[in-house]
Amino acid sequence: MNRLAAFVGLLLALCWPALAGAQSMESVLSPGTLSKAHAKWDESCRSCHTPFDRKAQDKLCADCHKDVARDLADHAGFHGRLKAGQSCRGCHTEHRGREMNIAPLDTKAFDHKQTDFLLRGKHADTDCAKCHAPGKKYSVAAHDCLSCHKKDDVHKAALGAKCENCHDERNWRDTRFDHSTTRFALNGAHAPAKCESCHKTREYKETPRECVACHRKDDKHKAQFGDKCESCHGEKRWRDIGFRHDVDTKYLLRDKHRDVRCTSCHTGPLYKEKTPTDCLSCHRKDDKHKGTLGADCSSCHSEKGWKEVQRFDHDRTSFPLLGRHVKPRCNDCHQSLVYREVQTTCVGCHKKDDKHEKTLGERCADCHTESDWKAPRFDHGRTRFALKGAHAKTECRDCHRDVRSYRETPSSCISCHKKDDKHEAQLGERCDSCHDEQRWKLARFDHNRARFALAGAHLTVECKVCHQSLRYRDTPRDCLSCHKKDDRHKARLGAACDSCHNVRAWRLWRFDHERQTDYPLTGAHQKVACEGCHREPAPAGRKTAPLGRDCVSCHQKDDVHDRSFGPRCDSCHQTTRWNQVRHTAPGARQ
């Protein structure tokens, strides 16, 4: 018998290539009929078997059963926790007929620790059918609590799906909850309170957190002071009041204000209507100035008594008295107690002295002083055009035509130096970017402020090498404009020369294919010249011409299989050498 088997094996080895397409021969050698699940492969033995290689069968199984392959790769689920080297046929036997169950499972002997869901507490005693629906794979059973306990969720999903935050696997009705993890920690007298005292229903998230929700009957103010009971009351005891007006508010009570009752000032809802803190809110009837001096009555009056008027300091107003303004009496300027009706601008009194005919506005004090109107002073440094360098030696009339045109004088350089602009207005009107006020012909320019900063070998190049004329902005900034003769790639690598070359020297170049592209070079690819793959000129705006990422893009002439194995040449060939072939696919089990 052993000799006969050896003879048949030798015969198959010699004749197998000729019989590769002969399904009848494979059918003859089949040990039996396949199950219903695999019936469609009755005439396709190679879908599950590789000639003379029994170990390859597991790889073919995993190619079809993707979910099992994923568990094996992740070491998860039942299959992912099996011992290494255990083959599929050890548990799943085929060729036993159409009605054969090739995936039997002994539910009583099954160890649930081999799965991703450990059975603890009452789950260990639960019947399998309560979690695993009939006709479906065991692995698709849900892991979340609500899938089985939805009917037990008296909160109607208001608290989300994480039932384990309160319930555990020992007993669904035994709950635990740390109230400090919520937005309302229980402190003081709240700690011993029963849950149902605040939570009237099972929808806990809708429970209000305001004090009045539970203490409305205790509110003796009848909501006049709003809902922020904690401003005065504490959690230890409701009757303990801890409000200090001088500390807890921005309004300190002094003198006669201490004798006033709270409701005398707080007449409306406290937090809906902001209590005013200005004097006029209570003392409007006492205001002889008719509101013209504002609400800061404390400037003259005090809290000791309204009629006790303290000395007025004019320096605290917007018009302090200086120079000759100190001598006039109050009623010389203030004709009535409505003090603000008096003029505070210079032109109010000195309109006849204004030689500039209002062209400089009403800020006479910028030049004139309170000591003497006729002794003007002017600091040009306070204007938008400070005089420096050669400008400081210029007389006023050289720029200002007359005393009425001071504000109309243009301040741009080009207004005076237009004839000196050799750049034909191409660089704008900011002449001071290069020229200064000492001397027009003494120019400076920081090239780092331009769109093309100079670095490396560019620093030693003379200006005229790049700038053919004084119209500097016409100078191109791309590399090829100057280095086209140095481009040995003939535009096959685009116009972004700085991807490899640097400004220190054109011959110094570096390109990290692994970091700067998404195609790292390995093996023999590292020795190939750039033009070996990039053969076509790069289109405008791109670094290189489109290039395929699959092996066949470059190795089509080396593909002796005529694409019968597809474009994934790397399944067998390696980058170290094309003729070096591996017979085991990457990632396959040995």
Side-chain angles (χ1 to χ4, degrees):
M1 186 64 181
N2 292 335
R3 296 178 61 188
L4 178 59
F7 174 74
V8 172
L10 178 61
L11 179 62
L12 289 175
L14 295 174
C15 301
W16 189 269
L19 298 175
Q23 295 296 329
S24 59
M25 175 60 73
E26 294 178 344
S27 300
V28 170
L29 296 178
S30 174
T33 307
L34 295 173
S35 62
K36 289 182 180 179
H38 293 157
K40 60 182 177 181
W41 288 294
D42 266 340
E43 301 299 327
S44 179
C45 300
R46 293 196 182 187
S47 296
C48 302
H49 302 283
T50 299
F52 310 111
D53 189 0
R54 298 186 69 183
K55 293 182 178 180
Q57 182 176 352
D58 290 344
K59 171 66 170 56
L60 296 174
C61 293
D63 290 343
C64 286
H65 299 279
K66 305 293 186 184
D67 53 343
V68 176
R70 185 166 53 253
D71 287 347
L72 291 172
D74 298 339
H75 298 289
F78 173 74
H79 292 92
R81 290 180 171 84
L82 293 175
K83 295 181 179 179
Q86 188 170 347
S87 64
C88 303
R89 63 178 177 274
C91 299
H92 307 286
T93 305
E94 261 294 356
H95 295 289
R96 299 291 181 85
R98 290 285 192 262
E99 303 303 324
M100 180 63 182
N101 181 9
I102 64 172
L105 179 65
D106 185 356
T107 57
K108 295 182 179 181
F110 182 75
D111 185 5
H112 221 281
K113 293 179 181 179
Q114 291 293 105
T115 70
D116 295 331
F117 191 89
L118 273 66
L119 300 181
R120 301 186 183 94
K122 286 200 172 184
H123 286 163
D125 303 328
T126 304
D127 186 27
C128 303
K130 290 187 177 181
C131 298
H132 300 284
K136 292 186 178 181
K137 293 183 179 181
Y138 288 106
S139 60
V140 299
H143 292 182
D144 60 292
C145 303
L146 283 181
S147 297
C148 294
H149 296 281
K150 191 173 184 178
K151 64 181 182 301
D152 302 317
D153 183 17
V154 296
H155 316 295
K156 299 179 181 180
L159 299 183
K162 292 189 176 182
C163 309
E164 64 273 12
N165 288 343
C166 300
H167 304 271
D168 59 26
E169 297 156 314
R170 290 175 296 179
N171 190 343
W172 180 266
R173 301 193 177 205
D174 292 340
T175 60
R176 69 195 183 284
F177 185 70
D178 183 6
H179 217 285
S180 62
T181 61
T182 69
R183 293 177 294 174
F184 194 94
L186 300 181
N187 300 316
H190 287 157
K194 293 183 178 181
C195 302
E196 55 269 19
S197 299
C198 300
H199 304 288
K200 305 300 182 183
T201 66
R202 298 294 181 90
E203 297 179 359
Y204 295 147
K205 286 192 174 182
E206 301 300 326
T207 304
R209 292 179 288 124
E210 298 80 10
C211 301
V212 293
C214 294
H215 297 280
R216 190 173 295 278
K217 64 181 182 299
D218 303 315
D219 183 14
K220 305 300 182 181
H221 315 293
K222 298 180 181 181
Q224 179 184 354
F225 290 164
D227 295 342
K228 295 185 178 181
C229 308
E230 67 275 9
S231 299
C232 300
H233 302 275
E235 295 171 311
K236 292 183 178 180
R237 189 180 177 189
W238 181 263
R239 294 185 179 181
D240 294 340
I241 307 298
F243 184 76
R244 298 166 297 175
H245 210 286
D246 292 349
V247 177
D248 298 333
T249 71
K250 297 180 180 179
Y251 194 88
L252 278 65
L253 300 180
R254 299 188 183 98
D255 298 321
K256 287 195 174 183
H257 284 166
R258 287 188 174 276
D259 302 329
V260 179
R261 299 183 60 180
C262 302
T263 52
S264 298
C265 297
H266 303 288
T267 57
L270 184 62
Y271 293 103
K272 291 184 180 179
E273 297 179 6
K274 187 175 181 180
T275 303
T277 58
D278 59 293
C279 303
L280 281 181
S281 299
C282 294
H283 297 281
R284 188 174 298 277
K285 64 182 181 301
D286 304 315
D287 182 20
K288 305 300 182 182
H289 313 293
K290 300 179 182 180
T292 58
L293 298 184
D296 190 13
C297 307
S298 59
S299 299
C300 300
H301 304 274
S302 68
E303 294 157 314
K304 293 180 180 180
W306 182 261
K307 294 183 178 181
E308 294 184 14
V309 180
Q310 60 190 9
R311 180 181 177 276
F312 181 73
D313 183 4
H314 216 286
D315 291 343
R316 296 176 59 189
T317 69
S318 59
F319 196 92
L321 301 181
L322 304 171
R324 291 192 176 184
H325 289 160
V326 176
K327 295 180 180 180
R329 292 170 24 176
C330 299
N331 55 7
D332 291 340
C333 299
H334 302 287
Q335 304 299 323
S336 68
L337 290 178
V338 185
Y339 292 152
R340 291 190 182 275
E341 292 180 352
V342 70
Q343 289 285 345
T344 58
T345 61
C346 299
V347 293
C349 295
H350 299 279
K351 188 175 182 179
K352 62 183 182 300
D353 302 316
D354 183 14
K355 305 299 183 182
H356 312 292
E357 300 180 6
K358 296 184 179 181
T359 57
L360 298 182
E362 299 181 355
R363 294 288 302 273
C364 307
D366 288 344
C367 300
H368 304 275
T369 67
E370 297 98 337
S371 300
D372 189 359
W373 178 267
K374 295 183 178 181
R377 74 191 189 284
F378 185 71
D379 181 8
H380 218 285
R382 296 176 58 193
T383 69
R384 290 176 295 177
F385 194 92
L387 299 182
K388 300 176 182 178
H391 289 160
K393 302 175 183 179
T394 305
E395 294 186 16
C396 300
R397 61 175 177 270
D398 293 338
C399 300
H400 304 291
R401 298 190 303 273
D402 51 55
V403 294
R404 297 184 298 274
S405 60
Y406 288 162
R407 289 189 182 275
E408 304 300 327
T409 304
S411 59
S412 62
C413 303
I414 204 71
S415 60
C416 291
H417 297 280
K418 188 173 184 178
K419 62 182 182 300
D420 302 316
D421 182 16
K422 306 299 183 182
H423 313 292
E424 301 177 11
Q426 188 188 60
L427 300 183
E429 298 182 357
R430 290 298 305 274
C431 309
D432 55 322
S433 298
C434 301
H435 304 274
D436 60 24
E437 296 153 315
Q438 300 296 330
R439 194 174 65 179
W440 179 264
K441 293 185 178 180
L442 183 62
R444 72 196 183 286
F445 183 69
D446 183 4
H447 220 287
N448 291 328
R449 296 175 58 192
R451 293 177 294 177
F452 191 93
L454 300 182
H458 288 162
L459 290 170
T460 59
V461 178
E462 294 186 39
C463 302
K464 61 183 179 182
V465 175
C466 299
H467 301 289
Q468 303 300 322
S469 68
L470 292 178
R471 293 177 58 87
Y472 293 153
R473 290 188 184 273
D474 293 341
T475 306
R477 291 180 290 126
D478 59 290
C479 302
L480 284 181
S481 297
C482 292
H483 296 281
K484 190 171 184 179
K485 64 181 182 300
D486 302 316
D487 182 19
R488 297 183 179 181
H489 312 293
K490 299 180 180 179
R492 284 175 291 189
L493 299 183
C497 310
D498 55 336
S499 299
C500 300
H501 301 276
N502 59 59
V503 295
R504 290 181 295 167
W506 181 263
R507 295 187 179 182
L508 296 177
W509 68 275
R510 182 178 66 83
F511 188 79
D512 190 340
H513 214 284
E514 182 174 355
R515 292 178 59 192
Q516 295 178 244
T517 72
D518 57 355
Y519 191 91
L521 300 181
T522 60
H525 288 165
Q526 296 177 340
K527 301 177 182 179
V528 178
C530 302
E531 292 79 6
C533 297
H534 302 284
R535 302 185 180 95
E536 300 295 331
R542 299 192 59 174
K543 292 184 178 180
T544 60
L547 187 64
R549 295 171 53 85
D550 55 339
C551 305
V552 176
S553 299
C554 292
H555 294 281
Q556 187 171 4
K557 63 181 183 301
D558 302 318
D559 184 14
V560 297
H561 313 294
D562 293 333
R563 286 183 175 264
S564 61
F565 289 157
R568 290 296 305 275
C569 310
D570 57 328
S571 298
C572 299
H573 299 275
Q574 303 181 35
T575 58
T576 53
R577 194 175 61 185
W578 179 265
N579 293 335
Q580 185 176 353
V581 179
R582 55 173 175 262
H583 298 285
T584 303
R589 288 198 170 194
Q590 298 296 324

